[in-house]
């Protein structure tokens, strides 16, 4: 795992944007794995800026991690809508190469279709991940099998409460989602996880330095050969080896320049 601690959330976000942009520049036919949530909104703003400055996405295929069960694509809080609003409506990824699980289909069928599409177009070259307060990646909640594929997962109360802020007052967030499984995520060639703010610090420490356990699904990333964890100071504050990660990054960046 490469752990990069940036001075500010903006710098951490810019680093992720630069990594995605480099992937697309080097391979215009790249397959990107995309995430949603509050952390990703500025990432998409950065990518839209890069697009306006000349970065083309016309050859890219994208796969989103998850979608709420029971929300049709037009629902404002569906991840289909989120992706259109924050990214797809502003760049040129062809509509027939943007894949999200179907939220208003039979969940088992939707999951099987999504895995089949991944087989057909994958593997994902670069998978973008956020991190839940409970260590979830995608919507793989604590207790998720580390060998899981795309399937329906019940969301914990903590996740539903955290996501209630995106729904209208009085609207009840869905109780489950279809999510790429942990084994599905692990098939990506490279993974970048972005976590920002002190509220994520405990989960970050468990992912990076804790034991590998289904209790903290993100800890499975320790088994992946190419993972970068990009953090701001707040999210890094509980890491025991933080000084070591800083030194390693300094060495790597000196070598690169
Ligand atoms: C969303 C997703 C989730 C979020 C996580 C963090 O597609 O996969 O794992 O990345 O819940 O969400 P925010 O960024 O809103 O804290």
């Amino acid at each position: 795992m490469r752990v990069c601690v940036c001075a500010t959330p903006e710098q951490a976000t810019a680093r992720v944007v630069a990594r995605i942009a480099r992937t697309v520049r080097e391979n215009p036919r790249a397959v990107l794995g995309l995430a949603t949530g509050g952390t990703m909104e500025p990432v998409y703003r950065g990518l839209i800026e890069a697009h306006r400055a000349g970065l083309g996405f016309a050859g890219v295929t994208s796969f989103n991690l998850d979608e709420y069960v029971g929300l049709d694509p037009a629902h404002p809080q569906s991840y289909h809508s989120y992706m259109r609003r924050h990214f797809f409506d502003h760049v040129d990824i062809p509509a027939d190469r943007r894949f999200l699980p179907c939220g208003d289909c039979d969940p088992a069928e939707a999951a099987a279709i999504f895995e089949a599409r991944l087989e057909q177009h994958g593997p994902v070259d670069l998978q973008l991940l956020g991190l839940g307060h409970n260590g979830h990646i995608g919507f793989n909640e604590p207790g998720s099998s580390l060998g899981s594929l795309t399937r329906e997962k019940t969301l914990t109360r903590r996740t539903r409460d955290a996501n209630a802020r995106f729904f209208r007052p009085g609207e009840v967030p869905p109780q489950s989602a279809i999510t790429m499984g942990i084994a599905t995520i692990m098939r990506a060639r490279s993974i970048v996880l972005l976590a920002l703010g002190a509220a994520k610090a405990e989960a970050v420490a468990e992912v990076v330095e804790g034991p590998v356990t289904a209790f903290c699904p993100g800890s499975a990333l320790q088994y992946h050969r190419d993972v970068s964890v990009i953090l701001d100071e707040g999210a890094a504050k509980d890491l025991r080896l933080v000084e070591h990660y800083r030194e390693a990054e300094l060495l790597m960046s000196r070598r690169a320049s």
Side-chain angles (χ1 to χ4, degrees):
M1 258 184 190
R2 187 169 169 182
V3 180
C4 168
V5 183
C6 300
T8 65
E10 290 75 21
Q11 283 176 23
T13 301
R15 200 168 166 126
V16 171
V17 171
R19 173 73 188 273
I20 299 169
R22 193 176 76 229
T23 300
V24 174
R25 253 194 315 273
E26 286 174 2
N27 175 13
R29 301 185 60 79
V31 179
L32 298 180
L34 301 177
T36 60
T39 312
M40 297 304 151
E41 291 179 18
V43 171
Y44 293 124
R45 283 201 289 276
L47 287 173
I48 292 166
E49 259 175 49
H51 177 63
R52 291 187 179 142
L55 181 68
F57 289 89
V60 162
T61 299
S62 71
F63 283 90
N64 266 83
L65 284 163
D66 37 27
E67 177 58 288
Y68 288 116
V69 168
L71 298 195
D72 70 77
H75 188 287
Q77 266 59 57
S78 73
Y79 286 160
H80 282 76
S81 291
Y82 172 107
M83 288 306 298
R84 282 195 301 273
R85 201 162 54 240
H86 293 291
F87 192 45
F88 292 153
D89 283 354
H90 311 276
V91 297
D92 55 349
I93 304 180
D96 62 348
R97 276 195 276 113
R98 311 186 301 214
F99 298 101
L100 287 94
C102 175
D104 60 345
C105 303
D106 170 75
E109 255 174 54
I113 289 171
F114 190 76
E115 281 286 334
R117 295 277 178 273
L118 270 165
E119 279 292 320
Q120 190 186 346
H121 298 278
V124 167
D125 292 299
L126 182 65
Q127 176 68 54
L128 180 60
L129 293 178
L131 182 65
H133 298 98
N134 59 7
H136 74 215
I137 49 174
F139 273 138
N140 294 284
E141 299 282 43
S144 293
S145 160
L146 301 186
S148 52
L149 300 179
T150 304
R151 75 241 179 271
E152 183 178 10
K153 279 300 289 179
T154 306
L155 302 175
T156 60
R157 177 153 298 282
R158 196 174 178 196
T159 297
R160 277 182 280 147
D161 288 350
N163 289 356
R165 70 191 196 277
F166 297 114
F167 288 80
R168 280 195 303 268
E171 206 177 3
V172 181
Q175 287 201 323
S176 69
I178 301 175
T179 178
M180 278 192 205
I182 296 178
T184 317
I185 291 170
M186 295 288 280
R187 288 202 299 254
R189 289 196 166 109
S190 298
I191 297 178
V192 173
L193 182 146
L194 175 65
L196 302 175
K200 297 282 173 77
E202 198 183 326
V204 166
E206 281 177 18
V207 164
V208 175
E209 297 178 337
V212 174
T213 164
F215 194 70
C216 175
S219 65
L221 299 174
Q222 292 177 28
Y223 276 120
H224 196 281
R225 272 172 292 195
D226 185 356
V227 180
S228 299
V229 176
I230 316 277
L231 307 168
D232 65 352
E233 291 287 348
K237 81 176 178 47
D238 290 350
L239 289 172
R240 280 174 297 170
L241 289 181
V242 69
E243 287 316 319
H244 169 67
Y245 308 135
R246 287 190 216 281
E247 278 174 22
E249 270 307 301
L250 209 58
L251 187 67
M252 301 282 259
S253 56
R254 271 199 210 118
R255 281 214 187 123
S257 59

